Amino acid sequence: MGEHPRTDRRPAGPAPEPVRGGSAADEAATALTVLTTIDSAEGAEELARGAVGARFAACAQIGAPVTSVYHWRGEVRTDQEWQILFKTTRRRYAELEAYLSAAHPYATPEIIATEVVLGGAAYLEWIREETTEPSERAERAARAERAARPGTPGPRAGADGTGPR
């Protein structure tokens, strides 16, 4: 069985402090939960797999059927639906919303985002990492590798001393 954030063991020690939003640069990385509903378990899994596969969301949880009561076209309706709760970042929200709007069979799908105000640092970092484009992850890893090498020179100043060349 593969690794999973809930079953992989971390070293014993105090739990990390919950994370709260910070600078404007952190704004794009703010974690969100995004809720939608759909009329079948198969449809729910298809939406979830598509969003996670495209890295619009780090994961999606499909809830048991719920009974929805709502107004639609002049009448009160009652239907069975499946809820899907996506974990994503503010940076990827617009892409997730566009995907759900295009792939969803409903004319007006429920798409509701809620900001995660507090959360476990490791889990929130996992959401950020999993919703980062592969090219961005590769660049971040390369920067970290360069920074970790002892004696690696930093950017060199240009001939006029103003910055890297």
Side-chain angles (χ1 to χ4, degrees), residues 54-163:
R55 294 197 180 269
F56 301 147
C59 69
Q61 295 172 318
I62 301 169
V66 297
T67 300
S68 295
V69 180
Y70 57 97
H71 278 277
W72 185 249
R73 297 190 174 156
E75 66 179 84
V76 176
R77 297 189 49 159
T78 301
D79 287 310
Q80 188 174 51
E81 297 183 296
W82 281 256
Q83 291 183 329
I84 313 166
L85 187 63
F86 298 92
K87 281 47 165 279
T88 192
T89 58
R90 186 176 297 274
R91 174 183 304 155
R92 299 309 299 260
Y93 173 77
E95 293 164 297
L96 176 59
E97 181 183 351
Y99 163 75
L100 291 173
S101 294
H104 208 291
Y106 292 2
T108 307
E110 172 184 16
I111 303 172
I112 299 174
T114 304
E115 185 173 314
V116 175
V117 177
L118 292 171
Y123 187 77
L124 296 178
E125 179 56 34
W126 176 77
I127 292 172
R128 288 181 196 109
E129 182 65 25
E130 292 304 314
T131 57
T132 301
E133 290 286 348
S135 60
E136 290 177 60
R137 286 198 319 269
E139 176 56 32
R140 188 174 19 200
R143 280 195 309 267
E145 183 180 320
R146 285 191 302 269
R149 285 189 219 137
T152 301
R156 295 184 311 185
D160 61 359
T162 59

